[in-house]
């Protein structure tokens, strides 16, 4: 047995739809932002490690 008779009832959620969908939207935006920032930080760390390894290799050669 379904709680909603139509898709519009599902979206409206007995008057609570705006709050529910805004909460889901905020959650999705937060997760997307966190994933984006993790990828950005990882790239920065990899660049820094590569730069330090090249500098260490350069000093060993001299």
């Amino acid at each position: 047995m379904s709680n909603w008779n139509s898709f519009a009832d599902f979206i409206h959620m007995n008057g609570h739809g705006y709050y529910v969908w805004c909460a889901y939207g905020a959650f999705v935006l937060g997760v997307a932002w966190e994933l984006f920032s993790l990828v950005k930080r990882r790239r920065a760390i990899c660049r820094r490690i590569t730069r330090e390894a090249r500098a260490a290799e350069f000093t060993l050669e001299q």
Side-chain angles (χ1 to χ4, degrees):
M1 181 173 198
S2 175
N3 291 333
W4 301 285
N5 294 326
S6 68
F7 186 69
D9 287 342
F10 172 70
I11 296 297
H12 187 60
M13 292 190 177
N14 295 326
H16 301 286
Y18 181 75
Y19 169 76
V20 170
W21 296 115
C22 284
Y24 277 124
F27 173 75
V28 168
L29 284 175
V31 169
W33 180 261
E34 183 64 23
L35 290 173
F36 172 76
S37 67
L38 285 171
V39 168
K40 187 176 174 182
R41 280 184 278 169
R42 183 183 186 280
R43 286 181 183 159
I45 290 168
C46 287
R47 282 192 302 265
R48 182 176 54 94
I49 290 171
T50 302
R51 187 172 52 247
E52 289 175 3
R54 286 182 183 157
E57 182 180 310
F58 180 73
T59 56
L60 290 176
E61 289 177 358
Q62 290 184 357

